[in-house]
């Protein structure tokens, strides 16, 4: 059917101003998940067989409070297209306030990223609890679409 | 007749020996081809005595000397039938005379089991005969040969020989050969004597009926399973199709497929209108082998008589014919239609023909 | 060991006769007994195999006190900088502050596709332009606002003050959104590859602005242009100028009217401005111009000690003590404020005081301020 | 006679295993006797479990392996109990271990013998749908893995002995008599399925091939089942399109002698429908039922999701009378009523949800132990002692007490273990041997030698990810010296294999790519400790829950992602370092928060176990919500029980009661908790080892049905009190169920209200024989033996009218009387009632205090704001945080006896901590580099646990030091420390960055040179 519109459902393709990634190169995402809440949430998504895009690779940390801004900026330096940080809801943190510290650090880093020229929407902080399997799957889907709209991260600094 | 060049890879010597003894039947009158396995110490000597005393007996018997009748593996007998022998005679010492003490006991049980299970292929059990002939019974040997030849002449040629082989019987023989190669049936064949005489590992003796029940059950299961493996070698088939081919209840076919799948001999390959399709898994090193190479003839054509296929709807009938065609190939030289085949040498000559 | 031999030759390290003068003045040696500049040079001469992996080369503050003191003019700091790029090749990496965030930021800025927006500090009342005779190089001063947000000091205020001063003198300095970090931190932590890429970008930006002079507030930026850029790219095609020098010129040409301030202040000479660039008097004259009374600390001009951390890679136990000693010294002068030009000195001194200390408060609670901001107060 | 510090458990199912582990971890010798050749019981036959859809084997494997390997547990499988003598504290039991003719010490479970055995026998484990050999093992991950010769079918051919490499076959093995000397006995033989042959006429089971039982469907769904996870019609091997589930087959049926409800079949059917639809695309499940009994925690959510998300059809009020078969297609025809008219529909497959009956050796056990059985041959217990039998010292747990689900079984098993250990608490640690590991190998200075074990997990991973391809890829990664894949890496024989390979290849890092480290991490860490490796030289790649299960429709992308995840794990493994073990002191006491029946029972049990108990109650009296109850379902006198309980509490000197007390502050860690109490005004601090949360729940004050606007509209509790005081007059009574429960905003079922309504209705009929009682309900959820009382109510003439969320009854004033209009589904008309009393069955709500308490204890709350336990199925009475336990209504609404079971269970779990003087502390903590630390104090300020503190070091220099016991390893201080002086062990910066770099590896393109990079004008002079 020559000239047939892209097979994507019409609603989705309307507001797709930025070009989706070249078919060759898929979106490459990293997610830092805290061991007690969001990693368990990700497991629950698995146990309930909720399907979400395979572009995200999860790294387990004991608490989002352990995430140095350097980890996130280093990821962008290496060409990762988006970093998702998932922690416990405020007040749920197994270490009481790890997530609050993470929130402050990540908001500051976002300002720095904008200044440096990396779109701060490529970094996203989400609260996912141990019983929110569906929320984790939705977040990953939504984040991937959001990054697809932003397009590939053009920065790539080869490490010596 | 296909002609052409190209070397024929020499078949192993053992086959050579069998070929001279079974000639191409002259047209018109049927001369039975009989193979005889004679134990060296008694029946072979008996045959010599007949010779020395110039006792005449028909020339149809081709003798193979073996050291003891106990060494005649049932597979050899089935192999001979496959090769087109119209009858097989096994002759050994009288019980108790065996130069190797119990050799003939084993033969007795083996032939009994073989006669039992050969029925599944539809081949007349009388084509296999066991006789005890001692070194001194020259005349008895002659009369045995004479009677056996007449019996075979009465039975007529083996349905499996010649251009128009009876596919069912042929396939049955091949299935039987596989089962005999497999370990399950062998346990019974080899240890039957011990169980009856000195009892099993727990010391209690088994009766012959008990053993034959097991044998029949094993053969029934393995026969159908091997046929399923043959049929699904090239193409994945559903339970429905298989049960149509073999005219077995679908439930039974399914149970066998479950066991075959547990033995990693079959895997599911897609589905067709909600029915999973099963295909045989290529098994290197596994002893269960599929249809002989000779039976796989290149796609072009072969004459198959489907007369005795029974009342099957036309669609399935043509399907089956086509399937079996696909799997037939020259046994001796494993060559396909397009390659050179010295038609005259090969006794099977199954190279050309057309579907009816 | 060819690279190290070549380095020893360039920096004249062979001439070292181990007289030990450098070790006596070295602020790190004073606290950390195992560290001695001489020791490293001697090991290099002996061609020791594991030298590149030596932990000590990362403790040196490259403050230049030893260079200044060395009778045989051994350029020890350049020797250490060379050794560090060797060390990096051998995989002996420094433990940088903030996990190496500054170094990562520097490397990211070498990426050609980057579209920065680093001029967010330019408020409406400031007049800046794309092109102009004078180019104002800002470097990473604005970025420290966010990286060290918890220390509540706005280093971007230095840039605002500098532009205000230039505007009041009728100068509309050229600035550029494509300007990148001068590369000082990468250069001094052994990453020459990305340092050169940053240099190329900066030179290109300044060429595009058509400037004849480039003004610096940050001494590290100026030293990097003055020595390292010229060392690699030869004649830059423009003159390098410090803000204090510019202010004094403008006052001479009385383009700059300012009122006087009162109060007693003291001045801390940043190593890069003092010992590296040799600029001691301009800052002092500029401060005197404001009318405030300048009192000198016990150790000042080329003798002033270091703020304890360089290139965000050498922060150790000794750094803290140096900062406290320096603040005590400043307090002793009776000055109400300690001025300095380098945003990093300001940051590191603030680090040692923003926390309460049992029994130390009154000795170190002297406020610290940037000299440019101090001078800009004369314009209101 | 002196007591013996050992316990015998009869029945090695999930209940037996849980009791065994609790007791063995609390210092008692355990003899676990099972009649079948392996332990694991019915749960091992399940594929998935509700409501979490966890794979049953995956959550049971750790317990199986641990029980098999535990040095204090002796397994006596294939054994039966011959004779029992003695009394509580000192029993002598004769056990015959029937010969399995395979030596347990030699058989490795390799299975060669099963390959060569010529005899094929229908496999009862797989419900006859598969064949096994005469020498067999029940299931692949069986513990002990020893094979067994089935003497019934073996013809003694001798082939297995000739093939067995380990020469473990011993035909002449004879039965073995064992005499066990124990202090207490726990009986947990489980249950049997109702014999469906008795229903041959109605449902054609055994007649029509496509009518199967729910356990048969479960085997089909299991990866080790006959069709490897596919659902096929036994008649023709086709994949069924329409599958019908018929509920209550063999339960709730007085005609066949099983009037009780088997409690689990409703949820079991929903789960099977959901999983069947997942395995067979396009399969449509249709469940025919009377009441959908989804009474447990998050069961209703599962039921709603099954209906709305998975599109499973539910047809109510339809107990299918009979099933007929179309001979040609062997499909089945069911007739049922829908919207008032008769329907007949053809189905490809019919599944009978079979009920539970008493285990076949129940009579034998009862006779041997002398325990009483109830009329259905289950063990007879009373609501006050749910785990005690009539014989002191013999306890009961699991389905043998009454049909129940796995969480209920596990809770009761721990409860029974508590009673058993209390009985012989004096003899703790007398017969046990300390668990020892081989001496740790020093791997200092070695290059990383990594071993990678990739798991199929049946078809869970292998079905989507091409595991062999991943293994080939892993072999190419640097430092990986060994890589292989296994069907079940968590099974016991593979664990041994890993240990052996680790030693052979002298690995110094081990990676397992399988499921989530949260559940299986400790299991594998213990395995490599057995090979002499420090447990922290281990890393897991989660290629199941976070890869194969969530990318099922993109197998090749899932395979690539699995490769990436393993590559990242390898990158991190290269940088892993061994961490030293550190120990913590345990103070032997417990704080119990909440003085209700649950709290009181917990306190009593802690005291009986020999530890101090501090019972904290918010109000001024003990008893909680049970104070408002008078009598039980079978007329038990609750008031009397309560007073006795309170007097036991007061007279016990080991229990200290704090009334009007709330918890102000709570800190510390397992074994060393510190609680600041506000004891009516004044402060008091307590140091304790563990905490048990038993804060209970509260009755919902209804806002609907005009409650509070009429003095004769009451709640069940209020009405119960009036009834008991005889102040109730009137002819007509109407009860409305699910008031506030099973609503949009509160989807859970409060579990007890149906039975409570029935109890009050029967009381009304008893006191006012000529009165009329109506019960308006959504689903009558009187599960277990409570069903008999529901039957009594119908016989007593109580009228039941069903409504649902759309057709709720309307309550209005009629003069000073009450008017209720409700649609009767059968006659499809509005019915008006004018009762004298309207009794509402309100929901049970979580306490508001839960939120603050959860903050303080740092434990999570579930969606419905009850406390969230560590694992819904297998750890129902403890939190993820070590040392904090949970029981009673605080977990979820439940019955009186279930609360008591959970209270004892929590204590039994707590004893696994309290019984140890020293516990191994968490070693992945943060440490300070003395030379780098500038003593700025940021870490001291930021840490919630006050672990780091500035310390004077030598020359007056301030340096931070981190207290090993307080540090939790969260890593917040490491980030706050500006110059990197603090590193968090096992989560160092380079270890995490290595994973980031490895994740970005696929983007290996040379650094993006700007296409239009102009050569800078300035020529490079100077340097060259």
């Amino acid at each position: 059917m020559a000239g047939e519109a892209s097979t994507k459902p019409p609603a989705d393709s309307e507001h797709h101003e930025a070009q989706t990634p070249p078919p060759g190169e898929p979106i490459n995402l990293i997610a830092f998940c805290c061991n007690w809440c969001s990693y368990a949430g990700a497991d629950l998504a698995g146990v309930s067989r909720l399907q979400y895009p395979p572009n995200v690779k999860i790294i387990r940390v004991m608490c989002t409070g352990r995430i140095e801004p350097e980890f996130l900026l280093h990821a962008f330096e290496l060409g990762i297209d988006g970093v998702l940080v998932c922690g416990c809801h405020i007040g749920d943190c197994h270490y009481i306030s790890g997530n609050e510290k993470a929130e402050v650090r990540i908001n500051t880093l976002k300002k720095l990223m904008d200044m440096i020229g990396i779109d701060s929407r490529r970094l996203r902080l989400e609260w996912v609890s141990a019983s929110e399997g569906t929320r984790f799957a939705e977040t990953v889907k939504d984040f991937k679409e959001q990054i697809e709209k932003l397009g590939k991260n053009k920065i790539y600094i080869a490490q010596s | 007749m296909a002609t052409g060049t190209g070397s024929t890879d020499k078949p192993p010597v053992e086959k050579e020996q069998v070929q001279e003894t079974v000639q191409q039947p002259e047209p018109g009158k049927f001369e039975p081809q009989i193979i005889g396995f004679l134990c060296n110490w008694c029946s072979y000597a008996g045959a010599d005595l007949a010779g020395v005393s110039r006792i005449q007996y028909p020339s149809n018997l081709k003798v193979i000397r073996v050291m003891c009748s106990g060494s005649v593996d049932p597979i050899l007998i089935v192999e001979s039938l496959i090769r087109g022998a119209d009858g097989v005679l096994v002759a050994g010492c009288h019980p108790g005379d065996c130069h190797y003490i119990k050799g003939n006991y084993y033969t007795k049980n083996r032939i009994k089991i073989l006669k039992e299970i050969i029925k599944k292929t539809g081949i007349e059990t009388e084509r296999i005969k066991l006789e005890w002939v001692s070194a001194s019974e020259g005349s008895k040997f002659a009369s045995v040969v004479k009677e056996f030849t007449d019996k075979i002449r009465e039975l007529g040629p083996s349905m499996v020989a010649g251009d128009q082989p009876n596919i069912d019987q042929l396939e049955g023989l091949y299935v039987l050969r596989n089962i005999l190669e497999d370990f399950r049936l062998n346990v019974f064949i080899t240890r039957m004597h011990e169980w009856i005489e000195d009892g099993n590992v727990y010391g209690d003796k088994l009766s012959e009926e008990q053993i034959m029940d097991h044998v029949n059950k094993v053969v029934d299961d393995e026969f159908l399973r091997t046929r399923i493996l043959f049929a699904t070698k090239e193409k994945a088939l559903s339970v429905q199709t298989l049960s149509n081919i073999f005219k077995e209840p679908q439930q039974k076919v399914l149970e066998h497929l479950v066991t075959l799948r547990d033995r990693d001999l079959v895997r599911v390959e897609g589905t067709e209108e909600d029915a999973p399709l099963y295909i045989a898994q290529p098994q290197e090193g596994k002893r269960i082998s599929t249809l002989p190479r000779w039976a796989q003839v290149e796609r072009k054509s072969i004459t198959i008589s489907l007369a005795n296929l029974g009342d099957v709807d036309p669609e399935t009938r043509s399907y089956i014919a086509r399937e079996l065609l696909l799997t037939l190939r020259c046994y001796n030289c494993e060559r396909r239609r397009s390659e050179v085949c010295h038609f005259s040498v090969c006794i099977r000559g199954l190279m050309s023909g057309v579907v009816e | 060991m060819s690279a190290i031999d070549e380095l020893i030759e360039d920096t004249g390290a062979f001439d070292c006769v181990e007289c030990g003068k450098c070790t006596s003045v070295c602020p790190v040696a004073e606290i950390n007994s195992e560290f001695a500049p001489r020791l490293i040079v001697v090991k290099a001469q002996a061609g020791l195999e594991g030298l590149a992996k030596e932990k000590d080369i990362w403790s040196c503050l490259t403050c230049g006190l030893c260079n200044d003191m060395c009778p045989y003019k051994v350029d020890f700091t350049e020797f250490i900088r060379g050794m560090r790029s060797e060390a990096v090749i051998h995989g002996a990496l420094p433990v940088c502050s903030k996990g190496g965030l500054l170094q990562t930021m520097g490397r990211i800025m070498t990426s050609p596709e980057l579209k920065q927006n680093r001029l967010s500090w330019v408020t409406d009342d400031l007049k800046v332009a794309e092109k102009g005779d004078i180019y104002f190089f800002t470097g990473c001063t604005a970025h420290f606002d966010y990286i060290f947000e918890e220390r509540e000091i706005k280093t971007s205020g230095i840039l605002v003050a500098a532009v205000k001063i230039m505007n009041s003198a009728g100068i509309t300095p050229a600035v550029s959104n494509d300007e990148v970090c001068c590369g000082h931190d990468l250069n001094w932590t052994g990453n020459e590859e990305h340092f050169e890429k940053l240099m190329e970008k900066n030179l290109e930006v300044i060429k595009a602005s058509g400037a004849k002079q480039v003004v610096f507030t940050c001494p590290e930026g100026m030293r990097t242009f003055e020595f390292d850029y010229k060392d690699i790219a030869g004649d830059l095609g423009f003159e390098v100028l410090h803000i204090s020098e510019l202010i004094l010129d403008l006052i001479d040409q009385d383009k700059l009217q300012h009122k006087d301030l009162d109060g007693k202040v003291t001045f801390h000479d940043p190593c890069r401005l003092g010992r590296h660039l040799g600029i001691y008097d301009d800052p002092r004259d500029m401060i005197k111009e404001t009318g405030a009374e300048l009192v000198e600390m016990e150790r000042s001009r080329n003798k002033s000690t270091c703020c304890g951390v360089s290139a965000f890679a050498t922060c150790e136990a000794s750094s803290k003590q140096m900062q406290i000693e320096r603040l005590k010294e400043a307090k002793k002068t009776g000055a109400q404020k300690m001025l300095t030009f380098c945003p990093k000195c300001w940051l590191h001194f603030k680090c040692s005081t923003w926390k309460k200390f049992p029994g130390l408060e009154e000795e170190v609670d002297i406020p610290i301020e940037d000299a440019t901001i101090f001078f800009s107060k004369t314009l209101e | 006679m002196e007591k013996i510090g050992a316990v015998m458990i009869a029945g090695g199912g999930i209940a037996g295993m849980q009791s065994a582990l609790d007791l063995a971890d609390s210092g008692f010798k355990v003899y676990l006797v099972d009649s079948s050749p392996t332990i694991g019981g019915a749960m091992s036959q399940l594929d998935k479990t509700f409501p979490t859809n966890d794979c049953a084997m995956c959550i049971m494997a750790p317990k199986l392996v641990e029980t098999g390997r535990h040095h204090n547990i002796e397994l006596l499988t294939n054994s039966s109990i011959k004779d029992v003598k003695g009394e509580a504290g000192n029993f002598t039991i004769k056990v015959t271990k029937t010969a399995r003719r395979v030596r347990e010490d030699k058989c490795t479970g390799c299975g060669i013998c099963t390959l060569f055995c010529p005899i094929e026998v229908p496999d009862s484990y797989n419900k006859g749908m598969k064949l096994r050999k005469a020498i067999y093992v029940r299931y692949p991950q069986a513990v002990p893995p020893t094979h067994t010769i089935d003497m019934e079918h073996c013809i003694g051919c001798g082939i297995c002995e000739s093939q067995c490499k380990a020469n473990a076959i011993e035909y002449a093995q004879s039965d073995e008599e064992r005499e066990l000397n124990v202090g207490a006995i726990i009986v947990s033989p489980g249950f049997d399925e109702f014999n469906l042959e008795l229903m041959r006429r109605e449902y054609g089971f055994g007649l029509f091939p496509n009518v199967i039982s729910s356990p048969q469907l479960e085997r089909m769904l299991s990866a080790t089942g006959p069709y490897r996870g596919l659902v096929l019609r036994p008649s023709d091997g086709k994949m069924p399109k329409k599958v019908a589930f018929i509920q209550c087959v063999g339960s709730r049926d007085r005609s066949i002698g099983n009037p009780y409800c088997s409690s689990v079949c409703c949820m079991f059917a929903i789960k099977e429908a959901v999983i069947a639809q997942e395995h067979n695309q396009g399969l449509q499940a249709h469940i025919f039922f009377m009441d959908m009994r989804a009474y447990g925690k998050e069961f209703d959510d599962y039921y709603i999701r099954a209906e709305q998300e998975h599109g499973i059809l539910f047809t109510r009020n339809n107990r299918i009378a009979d099933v007929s078969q179309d001979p040609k297609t062997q499909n089945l025809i069911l007739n049922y009523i829908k919207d008032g008219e008769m329907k007949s529909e053809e189905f490809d497959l019919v599944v009978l949800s079979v009920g539970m009956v008493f285990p076949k050796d129940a009579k034998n056990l009862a006779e041997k132990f002398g325990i009483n059985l109830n009329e259905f041959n289950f063990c007879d217990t009373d609501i006050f002692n749910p785990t005690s039998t009539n014989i002191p010292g013999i306890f009961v747990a699991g389905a043998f007490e009454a049909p129940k689900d796995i969480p209920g079984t596990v809770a009761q098993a721990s409860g029974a273990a508590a009673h058993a250990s209390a009985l012989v608490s004096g003899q703790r640690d007398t017969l046990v041997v300390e668990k020892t590991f081989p001496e740790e190998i020093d791997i200092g200075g070695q290059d990383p030698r990594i071993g990678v074990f990739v798991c199929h997990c049946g078809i869970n991973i292998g079905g989507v990810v091409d595991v062999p391809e991943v293994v080939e890829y892993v072999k190419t990664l640097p430092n990986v010296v060994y890589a292989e894949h296994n069907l079940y890496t968590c099974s016991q024989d593979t664990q041994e294999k890993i240990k052996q390979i680790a030693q052979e290849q002298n690995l110094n890092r081990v990676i397992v790519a399988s499921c989530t480290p949260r559940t299986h991490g400790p299991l594998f860490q213990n395995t490599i400790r057995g090979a002499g490796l420090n447990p922290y030289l281990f890393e897991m790649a989660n290629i199941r829950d976070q890869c194969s299960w969530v990318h099922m429709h993109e197998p090749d992308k899932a395979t690539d992602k699995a490769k990436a995840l393993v590559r990242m794990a390898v990158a991190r493994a290269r940088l892993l370092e061994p961490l030293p073990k550190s120990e913590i002191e345990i103070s032997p006491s417990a704080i119990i928060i909440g003085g209700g029946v649950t709290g009181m029972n917990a306190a009593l049990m802690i005291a009986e176990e020999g530890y101090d108990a501090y019972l904290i109650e918010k109000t001024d009296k003990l008893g909680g919500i049970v104070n408002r109850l008078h009598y039980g379902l079978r007329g038990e006198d609750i008031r009397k029980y309560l007073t006795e309980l309170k007097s036991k509490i007061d007279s016990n000197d080991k229990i200290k009661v704090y009334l009007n007390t709330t918890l102000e502050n709570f800190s510390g860690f397992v074994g060393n908790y510190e609680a600041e109490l506000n004891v009516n005004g004044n402060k008091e601090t307590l140091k304790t080892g563990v905490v048990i949360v038993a804060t209970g729940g509260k009755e919902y004050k209804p806002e609907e049905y005009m409650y509070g606007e009429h003095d004769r509209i009451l709640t069940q509790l209020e009405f119960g009190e009036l009834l008991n005081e005889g102040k109730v007059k009137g002819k007509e009574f109407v009860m409305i169920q699910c008031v506030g429960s099973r609503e949009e905003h509160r989807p859970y079922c409060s579990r007890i209200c149906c039975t409570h309504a029935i109890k009050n209705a029967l009381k009304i009929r008893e006191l006012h024989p000529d009165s009329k009682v109506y019960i308006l309900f959504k689903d009558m959820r009187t599960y277990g033996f409570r069903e008999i009382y529901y039957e009594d109510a119908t016989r007593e003439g109580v009228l039941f009218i069903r409504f649902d969320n759309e057709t709720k009854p309307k309550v209005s004033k009629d003069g000073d009387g009450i008017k209720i209009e409700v649609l009767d589904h059968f006659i499809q008309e509005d019915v008006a009632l004018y009762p004298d009393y309207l009794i509402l069955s309100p929901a049970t709500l979580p306490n508001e205090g839960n939120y603050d308490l959860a903050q303080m204890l740092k434990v999570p709350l579930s969606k419905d704001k009850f406390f969230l336990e560590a694992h819904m199925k297998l750890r129902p009475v403890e939190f993820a945080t070590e040392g904090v336990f949970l029981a009673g209504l605080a977990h979820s609404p439940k019955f009186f006896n279930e609360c008591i079971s959970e209270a004892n269970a929590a204590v039994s779990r707590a004893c696994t901590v309290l019984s140890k003087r020293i516990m191994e502390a968490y070693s992945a903590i943060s440490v300070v580099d003395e030379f780098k630390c500038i003593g700025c104090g940021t870490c001291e300020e930021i840490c919630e646990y006050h672990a780091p503190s500035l310390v004077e070091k030598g020359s007056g220099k301030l340096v931070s030091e981190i207290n090993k016991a307080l540090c939790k390893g969260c890593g917040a201080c490491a980030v706050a420390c500006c110059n990197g002086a603090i590193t968090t062990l096992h989560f160092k910066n380079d270890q995490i960055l290595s994973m980031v770099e490895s994740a970005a590896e696929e983007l290996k393109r040379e650094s993006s040179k700007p296409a239009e990079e102009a050569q800078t004008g300035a020529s490079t002079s100077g340097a060259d």
Side-chain angles (χ1 to χ4, degrees), chain D residues 456-660:
Chain D
H456 281 267
C457 190
I459 59 166
N460 288 315
I461 298 176
V464 176
V465 171
D466 182 344
V467 173
E469 198 185 308
V470 175
V471 172
E472 285 323 305
Y473 169 74
V474 166
K475 283 184 179 141
T476 64
L477 297 177
N479 301 101
V480 174
V481 292
Y482 183 86
E484 63 158 27
H485 52 91
N486 306 293
L487 190 58
Y488 290 102
T489 315
C490 54
S491 66
Q492 197 168 7
D493 46 18
T494 320
Q495 304 280 322
E496 294 311 323
K497 199 168 79 175
I498 292 177
K499 243 194 268 186
Q500 198 206 335
I501 291 168
Q503 274 143 1
E504 267 165 31
Q505 305 276 343
N506 49 57
L507 304 179
N508 51 30
R509 307 285 195 286
V510 168
I511 290 179
V512 169
S514 60
C515 47
T516 173
R518 278 173 45 253
T519 51
H520 282 66
L523 169 79
F524 291 123
Q525 282 178 321
N526 272 338
T527 310
I528 67 169
R529 268 178 87 175
L533 280 176
N534 182 289
Y536 285 90
L537 295 172
F538 171 73
E539 183 60 27
M540 271 186 91
N542 190 344
I543 61 170
R544 188 189 67 178
D545 311 44
Q546 292 173 5
C547 186
S548 69
W549 272 354
V550 284
H551 311 311
M552 292 173 102
H553 312 311
E554 302 166 288
D556 41 18
K557 285 212 182 107
T559 307
D560 292 344
K561 179 170 173 180
K563 285 186 198 161
L565 291 175
V566 179
R567 187 184 62 234
M568 287 158 69
V570 168
R572 177 175 147 81
R574 288 191 197 101
L575 302 168
L576 288 180
E577 287 144 8
L579 301 187
K581 228 162 14 80
S582 55
E583 268 118 13
I584 328 168
E585 291 294 321
I586 299 286
S587 59
S589 61
I591 287 185
I592 297 107
I593 306 169
V597 161
T598 313
M600 287 198 276
N601 270 288
L604 269 175
M605 187 49 81
I606 286 276
E608 266 172 54
E609 296 283 352
Y611 304 106
D612 298 335
Y614 307 109
L615 182 56
I616 297 165
E617 169 50 40
K618 193 168 50 183
T619 65
D620 56 1
K621 68 178 172 35
L622 297 177
I625 203 164
V626 175
N627 282 325
R628 301 176 62 189
L629 284 177
H630 297 282
Y631 48 85
L633 194 55
R634 294 195 287 198
E636 301 92 344
D637 185 343
I638 292 179
R639 267 294 133 79
K640 181 158 140 308
Y641 167 77
L642 211 49
T643 34
E644 275 162 17
L645 198 59
K646 286 176 186 164
S647 64
K648 271 197 222 138
I649 295 271
D650 300 342
S651 61
N652 192 315
D653 50 22
K654 273 194 163 310
I655 301 174
K656 201 161 185 304
V657 179
Y658 294 82
L659 294 179
N660 301 318

Side-chain angles (χ1 to χ4, degrees), chain D residues 299-318:
Chain D
F299 282 12
D300 257 312
D301 298 307
Y302 194 70
Y303 168 31
I304 295 161
R305 253 182 71 201
E307 197 167 19
Q308 286 162 4
E309 237 173 80
H310 298 286
I312 290 161
L313 302 174
F314 287 86
T315 307
R316 182 183 293 283
N317 290 88
N318 268 285

Side-chain angles (χ1 to χ4, degrees), chain B residues 265-279:
Chain B
L265 295 176
V266 139
R267 71 172 191 279
V268 171
E269 180 99 338
T271 58
E272 193 189 67
E273 337 126 8
D274 302 328
L277 301 175
Y278 298 88
I279 188 162

